[in-house]
Amino acid sequence: MSLDTHVETLNQKHAEIEDVIAREELRPHPDALRLMELKKQKLRLKEEMVRLKVRH
């Protein structure tokens, strides 16, 4: 897998998590723990993308 393909895959996962977060926040009683975990995952993906772009 090329670096660009890997970054694009990470970017897609980041966008998917962002959508899940948005849907969860719209629920009448959002699950705070789930939101926290999703946001951590999203941040880890973003950090990985930045790290890969800087190295490239």
Side-chain angles (χ1 to χ4, degrees):
M1 177 184 303
S2 74
L3 180 62
D4 290 337
T5 304
H6 185 57
V7 170
E8 182 57 34
T9 300
L10 293 174
N11 198 32
Q12 289 172 352
K13 288 179 183 179
H14 185 271
E16 290 170 7
I17 291 173
E18 201 168 81
D19 289 343
V20 173
I21 290 170
R23 287 193 306 271
E24 182 67 31
E25 288 177 334
L26 290 175
R27 290 181 45 200
H29 301 287
D31 184 337
L33 184 59
R34 182 168 190 232
L35 282 170
M36 184 177 66
E37 288 301 319
L38 288 166
K39 289 178 180 182
K40 283 181 185 179
Q41 288 177 19
K42 185 178 153 189
L43 180 58
R44 282 192 294 270
L45 288 171
K46 186 69 168 186
E47 289 171 343
E48 178 70 6
M49 287 186 289
V50 168
R51 187 180 66 78
L52 291 171
K53 288 178 184 178
V54 167
R55 260 208 281 159
H56 188 272

